[in-house]
Amino acid sequence: MLGCMEKINDSEGHPSSSHQTLKGTSKWATSLENLLEDPEGVKRFREFLKKEFSEENVLFWLACEEFKKTQGKKQMQEKAKEIYTTFLSSKASSQVNVEGQSRLSETILETPHPLMFQKLQDQIFNLMKYDSYSRFLKSDIFLNHQKCEEQEENSPEAQTAAKRASRIYNT
């Protein structure tokens, strides 16, 4: 588990941040959609789901989001097969529990389209939204991260920067 002062870097090695009007845990707490839009939120949610033995749900949801952006039939076929074998087949290594997965036969993988997994993705989203997400908001992972954010906001450096900004904009 990450400590308060341990910084997270994005894929380019820059410190990750969520400096929007609402940031971090405040934004995550408003909706599962906001949580899933924030790379740091996804990271913390995955950490939580791993402890609950249901990380495959968010991994499947993320894979479906990536699949929708896939261009070209060959790439779509490859990604569709990867999603099917990883999450949906009876022999899947990270099988998700969705209704109707048996009706999604391997033959559909030959003619993929961007929304072919949408119904299954929606089922998993709703499962996370009405089950895992509410528990995540009460989890130590979320609460500790929230406490760290509050400590950072109340730190002397943050207050000094805020005062400097205030002086600059109020002159």
Side-chain angles (χ1 to χ4, degrees), residues 69-87:
K69 301 172 194 169
T70 305
Q71 301 292 315
K73 186 178 178 183
K74 185 158 178 51
Q75 286 90 340
M76 283 189 105
Q77 285 175 327
E78 289 169 5
K79 282 199 178 203
K81 185 166 177 52
E82 186 181 324
I83 289 171
Y84 181 82
T85 56
T86 305
F87 301 105

Side-chain angles (χ1 to χ4, degrees), residues 5-18:
M5 303 317 275
E6 200 171 330
K7 297 293 179 201
I8 308 297
N9 292 331
D10 64 15
S11 57
E12 282 97 44
H14 301 106
S16 72
S17 61
S18 308

Side-chain angles (χ1 to χ4, degrees), residues 153 155-170:
E153 286 173 14
S155 71
E157 299 87 33
Q159 290 175 356
T160 305
K163 285 178 186 172
R164 280 196 307 268
S166 175
R167 282 196 303 267
I168 292 168
Y169 294 114
N170 290 329

